Amino acid sequence: MTLSAYIHFPYCLQKCPYCDFASTGIARQDVPQRAYTDAVLRELQQRAPALQHQRLSSIFFGGGTPSLWEPAELGRVLSALRAAFGDRVEPELEVSVECNPSSLDAARARALSAQGVDRLSIGVQGLDPVRLRFLGRMHDRQRALEALRDALGAVPRVSADLIFGLPGQSPAEAVSDALTLVDLGLSHLSAYALTIEEGTQFGQLARKGRLPLAREGDVADSLTAVAEALSARGFEHYEVSNHARPGQRARHNLHYWRGGAYLGLGAGAVGCLHEAVGSARRYRNDPDPARYMQRAGGPEREVFSEILGPQDMLREQLMLGLRTLDGVELARAQALTGRALSDGREAALERALSRGDAVLEDGFLRVPRARWLHLDSIVADLF
Ligand code: SF4
């Protein structure tokens, strides 16, 4: 069985007003580089014995802002992961690092590459100065484009994140940003509609009615227009929010969306380890970096843990797999859970198929791309 590893780096130079990820604002010089790395290594050492039968297929450093992590320290984690899995590291191992334009330059990109990183994912989010200010981002258009060029000069695969659906932003503007980015030579683009989450600054403003919002129609139109424009450039729209040149899909994310097991390391990291057919344990580490560092070597680092049964695992596969172009592979779903996907949802499946909301083809259940705007209700009906 293959396993992905996700390592969370919980620090950012400042907190963005829309962000609900586990991240803490910190001055660059105050990041506890060595102490945090040591804590992650303690956690890995403690979890590794339970992973003896798994093959490692991808490693993803996410955050937070992992480009604030000194490459040599991040490299210690990479080496330890390689050592822990030994000859069970897949030859095609994908190693990705999320970066912010404000903490990535050519030297850092090359240093990450020297540590074995082969894919950089840059949080550009936008190119227009008004939108970047609205999102509270620290970089401007020029810094974003420079960071992308620096990344492209250092590693073979570069992706960017873009947020659309911002107040006052037309679909044409979203398309123009997306094309400017991919025309630099990116192999992958993640394009997300802005979502307003509870507990964020934007969430509070929205509750008080003080957050300007995009027009509903503009958000859906932007999603369609960006997908069409990227498709004309040869990109595959292979997941609702993700576009890739042929052969350049993010393997780490695909593994999640296919219901694969993943090891989570670091403050606030979530992991989901398969214990047997039809049984998985999902956990979340303490999101507070100081507490995590104190407790990393033992089970008390976890603040949440639950056992997933076969139906929980099938629901996850529906929720994630149906967001992809490939859909859910029925044989794989059954092999992971011991149950047929259709078990207990025969009538709902019949309904989805007869309405054209889903199709069954070559052993996959998928939602046609033309219905992706209605995914939430289609999946809810199959739950
Ligand atoms: S840089 Fe990313 S992780 Fe950090 S606060 Fe902003 S959106 Fe959140």
Side-chain angles (χ1 to χ4, degrees), residues 108 117 133 152 222 284 332 351:
R108 186 154 290 237
V117 173
R133 254 199 316 281
L152 285 161
S222 293
R284 182 169 192 235
R332 179 179 159 87
R351 252 193 325 273

Side-chain angles (χ1 to χ4, degrees), residues 12 14-16 18-19 21 23 63-65 100 137:
C12 293
Q14 66 182 34
K15 187 79 182 170
C16 301
Y18 58 90
C19 174
F21 297 131
S23 68
T65 307
N100 266 331
R137 304 296 296 186

Side-chain angles (χ1 to χ4, degrees), residues 98-116:
E98 265 181 355
C99 301
N100 266 331
S102 47
S103 51
L104 186 77
D105 58 15
R108 186 154 290 237
R110 280 197 303 270
L112 288 168
S113 166
Q115 296 294 342

Side-chain angles (χ1 to χ4, degrees), residues 59-68 94-104 109 112 117-125 137 144 147-148 151-152 155-162 186-192 238 241-243 250 252-253:
I59 300 175
F60 192 98
F61 291 89
T65 307
S67 46
L68 285 175
E94 177 186 83
V95 183
S96 309
V97 177
E98 265 181 355
C99 301
N100 266 331
S102 47
S103 51
L104 186 77
L112 288 168
V117 173
D118 63 356
R119 186 171 182 277
L120 295 177
S121 172
I122 322 283
V124 172
Q125 316 309 1
R137 304 296 296 186
L148 287 167
L152 285 161
V155 295
R157 302 168 68 205
V158 178
S159 177
D161 283 5
L162 184 67
L186 304 189
S187 54
H188 190 279
L189 185 82
S190 300
Y192 301 91
Y238 74 103
S241 305
N242 285 280
H243 308 260
H252 183 82
N253 291 349

Side-chain angles (χ1 to χ4, degrees), residues 149-305:
R149 289 194 191 99
D150 292 341
L152 285 161
V155 295
R157 302 168 68 205
V158 178
S159 177
D161 283 5
L162 184 67
I163 297 181
F164 62 84
L166 304 175
Q169 184 190 45
S170 65
E173 184 188 321
V175 167
S176 160
D177 281 3
L179 292 183
T180 303
L181 294 177
V182 300
D183 287 348
L184 290 173
L186 304 189
S187 54
H188 190 279
L189 185 82
S190 300
Y192 301 91
L194 177 70
T195 50
I196 310 299
E197 308 289 349
E198 280 290 322
T200 63
Q201 240 185 74
F202 275 5
Q204 286 168 11
L205 287 172
R207 226 183 12 255
K208 294 178 192 154
R210 285 175 34 208
L211 185 75
L213 294 172
R215 290 188 322 153
E216 188 79 7
D218 279 351
V219 181
D221 290 350
S222 293
L223 187 138
T224 309
V226 166
E228 279 171 5
L230 291 176
S231 155
R233 289 287 205 278
F235 277 69
E236 251 183 342
H237 190 187
Y238 74 103
E239 195 264 354
V240 175
S241 305
N242 285 280
H243 308 260
R245 292 193 195 274
Q248 297 298 324
R249 296 176 178 194
R251 294 201 288 274
H252 183 82
N253 291 349
L254 276 174
H255 179 83
Y256 283 142
W257 299 328
R258 289 177 178 153
Y262 51 98
L263 167 71
L265 298 172
V270 175
C272 187
L273 300 173
H274 294 177
E275 311 212 304
V277 172
S279 173
R281 192 177 79 85
R282 179 158 50 202
Y283 61 87
R284 182 169 192 235
N285 287 343
D286 197 322
D288 181 89
R291 273 201 310 265
Y292 166 77
M293 284 190 277
Q294 271 169 12
R295 301 171 180 176
E300 62 279 8
R301 72 189 152 242
E302 290 180 7
V303 289
F304 170 82
S305 165

